[in-house]
Amino acid sequence: MLSAGRLARRRATACAVVALATALLTAPLLDAPAAGATGAPEDLTAEAPQLIIAPVDPLLQDGESLELELTIDNQTDDPTASTTVEVLLTSQPIGTRYSLSRWIDGEAFMASSRIAEVDLPAVAALDRVTVRTTIDAETLGLDERSWGPYGVAASGAEFEGVTTMIVRDEPGEASPTTLALAAPIDSRIDESGLLDAEQLETATALGGAPRTALDAAMGANATIGVDPAFGASAEVLGDEAPELATAWIDRADRPGTYPLLYGNADPIAQLRAGVYPLEPLGIPRADDDPLPASTGSLGRRAPVIDATEAIVQQGELEALAGAGTVVLSTAMIDEQLGGATPSAHARIDGVAVLAADAQLQELIHAAAGADAETAADLRAEVVALLAAITRERPSDPRTLAAVLPASSLGDSAALLADLAEAQFVETTGIDAALEVPARDATLRQIDDAQRNAGADLVTAALEQEAEAARLASIVDDPANLLAELRLAVLAALPDAGSDVTELDRLAIEALGSSMSEVRNAVQLVAGSDIHAVGESVPLPITITNELDVPANVVLSVRATNALVSIPESRIEVAVAPTSQQRVQVPIDVVGTGSLLIVAQLHTPDGVPLGQIQYLNVTAQPTIEVAVAWTLGIAVVLLLGFGILRSVLKRRRGQARGDIDDLARDQPATSTEETA
């Protein structure tokens, strides 16, 4: 989608309106040369001061004066000189969408008359000045002319020509164009996935974006979509929820309201990642079981899925249509129109969708997100476009559809107020577009280099969640931790109805850092060298828990040699929230020397936690232990030596037992006695 700044720059034309004042009086429509349409290169144009023209109210009836605002936006390093600009008005309504688009883009001019000269002051570098001028009805000369959109142009010696639109709002018997609207209201939750009491009150008080969006949408009879995070946050707060928030939720909870995905996450990215719909695992509460995953969901209508910024394929369209009402852009449809704008209801290879007019949808989104002066010009273009569409076939009603930008992306209240004032437009809910007979169409085949950008972020987020979730058994209530992880994922995912941006990628990176903090929230603290003297010595090991809940872990220790023995190598430890705990691990010292003790934390079900710690230990037993061990070793050595000597003699044939010695001695004794 074009940014508001680019839309404004696009209107700049190289044709001076001084020439316009003379040549335009001679022909109904003169096309500017192709080179004149582009003018200076965009990078140079962007560095020049910009002139913006916009009506205060684009809708005029007989006898009404025209109020115009001319703004000089000087973002250069040099001041501008004071100057005078001429303001001109087309003598006839702009009759077709094609001519209207060319006028807006500064590519062609219609026969016009000068209606005012406006003096503009000098503007300092990096400054912005707006001048308002009023042109009375007599000078304007619109009374008794044909109804419809008229072009207004302005130019001066210091600026390129710029254009805007006004509409003579006297449609007579023309059938009004119905504009069916969906208005998503998102919460802009942070990584916690919930709004606190202050955030809820700010959002739903006068001036809050959700409050403003709800008031405007209800005034336009639009179909409202609400982020479940509002209701979930209020349920978690219970009696502490602000009254303003509770009243706002009650107003929004109507049968025709539809729930957004939590955090207004993008359903198309989830579908492509193979995880649609990705929903909460529960709504976590401190010191209590999580609330059901559906907590906070408002309304009973099937979702409206904003695919106006997406390039979708037929299979995806079928899957999305099974979940709700899909609104895509007419830029995605391959069809030949007979010169008149059709109604939005379409059937694409058997799948019912709503096709939002691409030009209208773009202008609606741009108007909501632009600065005040540019937004006024864009709103004028919206009503002018709808007037041109209505004039195509004045007796033939049609129903268009559009999705307003999410409430956090801009304010559509002023545009909806203009549409409510226009006599040739009726705004209503999105279902009205579905009641019109559908036309058959096919999808346009468009290459999409960024097709998997959103799905890749969804996959990356879920991988990080899965890694962190392996540690859930360390807390008494794993369900709460898992629910918190999922809300953090949903808060980080790309938003519905928007292209993936660098901010989305940064959000997923930040999610990875947050998940890493969970993975390393419970770990061993590196200790100093230990001198173990004695027979049985307590080995101090410190565990830190940065979670705000108790952590249950298993400490395992082992020695790298036999100088010490560890009677209990696995110890279950409960560490209080946001604290450190020292564990005394008994070791038996059996020899003198240096060794390493290897310490590691695990979850109760065996998943390693944090980093392995190596403790340098110098072992030195007491003297009694040393003597006992020395004597024991000496006895063992003597016995071993004796056994070894006997075995060696026996092998050499020199070994003699006691019986053999007696047998040899008895004959000798008898001989001596006889002699």
Side-chain angles (χ1 to χ4, degrees):
M1 183 179 69
L2 294 175
S3 67
R6 186 176 173 190
L7 282 167
R9 291 193 299 272
R10 191 180 63 181
R11 299 184 182 85
T13 173
C15 299
V17 181
V18 175
L20 171 73
T22 56
L24 299 186
L25 295 173
T26 63
L29 179 63
L30 295 177
D31 293 345
T38 56
E42 185 170 329
D43 57 343
L44 296 179
T45 302
E47 295 175 359
Q50 297 291 313
L51 177 63
I52 302 169
I53 182 173
V56 175
D57 183 351
L59 300 167
L60 296 176
Q61 296 180 0
D62 287 349
E64 283 193 77
S65 299
L66 170 63
E67 285 189 279
L68 286 175
E69 287 187 340
L70 292 100
T71 300
I72 301 174
D73 185 14
N74 181 19
Q75 296 304 310
T76 70
D77 294 329
D78 300 313
T80 66
S82 59
T83 188
T84 299
V85 298
E86 291 184 316
V87 180
L88 298 100
L89 177 72
T90 59
S91 57
Q92 296 293 328
I94 299 178
T96 66
R97 293 187 60 170
Y98 174 73
S99 299
L100 183 71
S101 296
R102 298 200 68 194
W103 173 269
I104 291 172
D105 290 343
E107 296 175 358
F109 296 98
M110 299 186 69
S112 306
S113 57
R114 186 174 64 185
I115 56 175
E117 288 188 351
V118 182
D119 294 329
L120 299 179
V123 179
L126 304 177
D127 199 2
R128 186 182 182 102
V129 173
T130 297
V131 173
R132 179 175 292 194
T133 187
T134 300
I135 304 168
D136 60 48
E138 183 177 354
T139 303
L140 188 62
L142 272 184
D143 293 358
E144 305 304 327
R145 290 194 194 180
S146 299
W147 88 274
Y150 287 77
V152 178
S155 183
E158 302 293 327
F159 303 101
E160 295 176 340
V162 291
T163 61
T164 190
M165 303 297 307
I166 59 173
V167 177
R168 183 170 186 269
D169 188 16
E170 296 284 356
E173 299 299 322
S175 297
T177 295
T178 300
L179 180 59
L181 295 169
I185 303 175
D186 61 341
S187 62
R188 300 302 285 180
I189 49 175
D190 59 20
E191 64 276 4
S192 71
L194 292 168
L195 302 169
D196 60 29
E198 182 179 356
Q199 291 170 324
L200 265 180
E201 185 159 18
T202 300
T204 55
L206 281 174
R211 169 69 175 272
T212 301
L214 180 62
D215 292 345
M218 292 181 70
N221 296 316
T223 299
I224 299 165
V226 179
D227 191 336
F230 289 108
S233 299
E235 289 291 336
V236 169
L237 289 169
D239 293 339
E240 297 179 5
E243 292 183 6
L244 280 174
T246 302
W248 184 91
I249 291 170
D250 289 341
R251 287 182 63 213
D253 191 10
R254 305 191 296 175
T257 298
Y258 67 93
L260 306 177
L261 286 180
Y262 200 97
N264 194 29
D266 183 6
I268 300 174
Q270 294 181 18
L271 179 72
R272 290 173 177 170
V275 293
Y276 177 80
L278 188 62
E279 298 174 320
L281 299 176
I283 307 302
R285 293 185 293 176
D287 304 323
D288 206 342
D289 293 335
L291 294 169
S294 60
T295 299
S297 182
L298 303 182
R300 294 185 289 279
R301 193 199 184 282
V304 175
I305 299 173
D306 183 2
T308 56
E309 292 289 327
I311 299 175
V312 295
Q313 298 177 351
Q314 185 65 31
E316 296 169 344
L317 202 60
E318 294 173 1
L320 292 170
T325 302
V326 181
V327 184
L328 48 72
S329 170
T330 53
M332 277 299 304
I333 296 181
D334 187 7
E335 61 181 350
Q336 296 293 326
L337 301 179
T341 303
S343 292
H345 198 191
R347 185 178 294 104
I348 300 178
D349 290 341
V351 179
V353 301
L354 294 179
D357 185 271
Q359 184 182 11
L360 178 63
Q361 181 74 25
E362 179 182 322
L363 288 171
I364 287 174
H365 274 244
D371 59 73
E373 294 81 7
T374 304
D377 179 27
L378 293 169
R379 291 196 303 272
E381 293 180 18
V382 170
V383 296
L385 176 58
L386 288 168
I389 291 172
T390 304
R391 281 172 52 91
E392 289 173 344
R393 291 186 305 205
S395 61
D396 188 3
R398 85 281 317 273
T399 302
L400 307 181
V403 181
L404 299 175
S407 57
S408 64
L409 298 180
D411 183 2
S412 299
L415 173 62
L416 295 180
D418 287 341
L419 296 178
E421 182 184 349
Q423 300 181 55
F424 51 89
V425 180
E426 289 183 358
T427 56
T428 186
I430 206 75
D431 289 330
L434 297 171
E435 297 170 358
V436 177
R439 69 185 190 274
D440 289 325
T442 58
L443 279 179
R444 194 184 298 272
Q445 300 301 312
I446 303 174
D447 292 334
D448 184 10
Q450 296 298 313
R451 168 180 168 76
N452 293 320
D456 291 342
L457 294 183
V458 172
T459 301
L462 289 178
E463 287 175 351
Q464 305 211 37
E465 178 197 59
E467 185 179 351
R470 295 171 65 226
L471 314 180
S473 61
I474 66 175
V475 299
D476 293 331
D477 189 357
N480 249 334
L481 178 58
L482 294 175
E484 289 177 2
L485 294 178
R486 175 55 57 83
L487 290 195
V489 167
L490 293 173
L493 292 182
D495 290 342
S498 301
D499 293 332
V500 173
T501 66
E502 186 61 26
L503 290 177
D504 293 319
R505 297 183 176 90
L506 292 175
I508 299 300
E509 291 179 9
L511 174 67
S513 300
S514 177
M515 294 294 181
S516 178
E517 292 175 3
V518 173
R519 292 191 294 270
N520 297 310
V522 183
Q523 58 183 333
L524 296 170
V525 178
S528 56
D529 294 347
I530 299 170
H531 193 65
V533 179
E535 179 179 358
S536 180
V537 179
L539 182 69
I541 297 178
T542 301
I543 305 172
T544 184
N545 175 20
E546 296 178 359
L547 298 174
D548 56 4
V549 293
N552 304 309
V553 296
V554 175
L555 172 64
S556 63
V557 291
R558 62 182 178 85
T560 56
N561 60 37
L563 292 178
V564 301
S565 64
I566 304 174
E568 189 176 0
S569 60
R570 291 175 60 85
I571 302 173
E572 294 183 358
V573 183
V575 188
T578 60
S579 68
Q580 290 187 346
Q581 181 166 330
R582 175 168 291 190
V583 181
Q584 303 289 348
V585 180
I587 61 173
D588 294 336
V589 180
V590 297
T592 301
S594 298
L595 73 152
L596 292 176
I597 298 289
V598 181
Q600 171 75 73
L601 289 179
H602 294 81
T603 67
D605 48 8
V607 179
L609 283 172
Q611 300 294 321
I612 295 175
Q613 292 293 332
Y614 296 92
L615 307 176
N616 292 312
V617 177
T618 301
Q620 181 179 344
T622 58
I623 187 61
E624 294 83 357
V625 174
V627 170
W629 276 97
T630 301
L631 290 175
I633 293 171
V635 170
V636 170
L637 290 175
L638 288 173
L639 288 173
F641 178 76
I643 293 171
L644 178 63
R645 184 169 175 273
S646 297
V647 170
L648 292 175
K649 284 184 176 182
R650 192 176 293 277
R651 288 180 177 176
R652 292 197 299 266
Q654 297 175 351
R656 293 180 300 175
D658 293 340
I659 297 177
D660 293 337
D661 292 342
L662 290 174
R664 281 195 301 270
D665 291 343
Q666 285 178 355
T669 303
S670 300
T671 304
E672 290 175 358
E673 289 179 351
T674 304

